[in-house]
Amino acid sequence: MSGLYIPLAGPDGSRTDHAENILAPNPGEMTLDGTNTWVFGAEDVIVIDPGPDDEAHLQRLVEHLGARRVRHILLTHGHHDHSGGARRLAELVKAPVRALDPRHRLGDEGLTDGDVFTVNDLDLRVYGTPGHSFDSLCFWLPDDSAMLTGDTVLGRGTTVIAPDGNLADYLRSLDRLRALAEELGAEALLPGHGPVLAHPIAALDGYLAHRRMRLDQIRAAKQAGAKTPREIVEIVYADVDESLWFAAEMSVQAQLDYLERL
């Protein structure tokens, strides 16, 4: 069954046939409009990425769920803007938190590549996609032909490689998602921040092309004499608002580490 992508009234962005976004009120330079908290299922649901530890957001989420039962709380990764509210939500809805990183689990079971969850005859399949962070995961919703991507692919702009991430892993994950999008017939990417992307293969091709371009630009900047991440940012990211240069420096450092290992 193909997903139907419908703009919702108010701040919540988009939905598919079986997944809906409850937007957290944490907009910012790194979080875009805020963290997308995804609710997947029907009478029984899975909540993905509760967002920050914001009581108003979590209460609004619980109110929106109504009588529906939360079977699991899943984390795409452990960064605070996705995981901070997990413990409090678990208290409110009496559900376990499952994550790849044991530090973020509440309950006896973790979360890893190959896991499959079923609610109301709807499957959710887990794919390991490290890179943005060491513990990043993506979730395939076959009934919606949609891949939920966390911070591996964003609805706008490109992903920063965080200090706990790795560019080589990230490039392999993008290649994997590109192959999966074609193999599975993906019709949408549901990101952790920003709007739904309705053309997965084009979006992933764009991400891969962007990474190759940046690596070429960094090689050229080094050949021109730039030595530090800051000096490279001043050349390669000269057209980017300086308020975002701190994030650019993280990405440059990840790319320098990658190039040194080639």
Side-chain angles (χ1 to χ4, degrees):
M1 182 186 301
S2 296
L4 176 64
Y5 308 100
I6 309 170
L8 297 179
D12 288 316
S14 301
R15 61 172 295 150
T16 68
D17 289 341
H18 305 104
E20 55 186 332
N21 171 28
I22 306 299
L23 183 66
N26 60 330
E29 294 167 343
M30 301 292 286
T31 56
L32 304 181
D33 307 307
T35 300
N36 294 334
T37 296
W38 290 97
V39 177
F40 171 70
E43 291 83 11
D44 294 338
V45 300
I46 296 170
V47 174
I48 298 128
D49 288 352
D53 188 10
D54 183 291
E55 186 69 17
H57 170 60
L58 298 174
Q59 291 291 346
R60 176 172 175 254
L61 174 59
V62 170
E63 181 180 353
H64 181 78
L65 291 170
R68 290 180 287 177
R69 179 177 176 181
V70 178
R71 293 288 186 177
H72 303 280
I73 299 166
L74 306 184
L75 301 181
T76 61
H77 63 299
H79 291 168
H80 183 77
D81 56 317
H82 294 257
S83 68
R87 180 176 294 274
R88 175 58 175 151
L89 181 63
E91 294 173 353
L92 291 170
V93 300
K94 305 296 187 284
V97 178
R98 297 183 62 165
L100 189 150
D101 186 346
R103 295 174 298 176
H104 297 291
R105 299 173 187 168
L106 288 175
D108 297 330
E109 296 184 89
L111 190 61
T112 192
D113 185 273
D115 284 347
V116 178
F117 297 83
T118 302
V119 288
N120 306 123
D121 296 321
L122 302 170
D123 287 345
L124 178 153
R125 300 177 185 177
V126 180
Y127 289 95
T129 52
H132 164 69
S133 64
F134 77 94
D135 60 338
S136 288
L137 301 168
C138 289
F139 305 135
W140 171 243
L141 313 180
D143 292 277
D144 288 0
S145 299
M147 184 73 80
L148 201 151
T149 60
D151 281 2
T152 299
V153 178
L154 303 178
R156 289 197 306 276
T158 55
T159 296
V160 170
I161 307 302
D164 62 339
N166 178 276
L167 180 57
D169 288 341
Y170 184 66
L171 292 172
R172 284 190 289 269
S173 291
L174 289 180
D175 283 334
R176 185 184 195 193
L177 286 175
R178 173 61 171 79
L180 285 168
E182 191 161 7
E183 173 189 340
L184 299 172
E187 296 181 4
L189 303 179
L190 313 184
H193 304 279
V196 166
L197 297 172
H199 303 287
I201 290 175
L204 290 161
D205 283 345
Y207 259 60
L208 286 161
H210 175 80
R211 286 294 166 187
R212 287 192 292 268
M213 178 192 73
R214 285 297 191 214
L215 286 168
D216 287 343
Q217 290 173 333
I218 287 170
R219 289 186 185 100
K222 289 180 65 180
Q223 290 172 357
K227 294 181 173 59
T228 67
R230 179 68 177 202
E231 289 171 348
I232 292 171
V233 166
E234 289 173 356
I235 296 171
V236 174
Y237 294 83
D239 59 340
V240 174
D241 192 296
E242 289 189 27
S243 66
L244 297 174
W245 279 11
F246 75 97
E249 284 190 59
M250 284 194 292
S251 277
V252 166
Q253 186 60 62
Q255 290 170 94
L256 289 172
D257 292 343
Y258 173 79
L259 291 171
E260 287 174 4
R261 293 183 173 92
L262 290 179

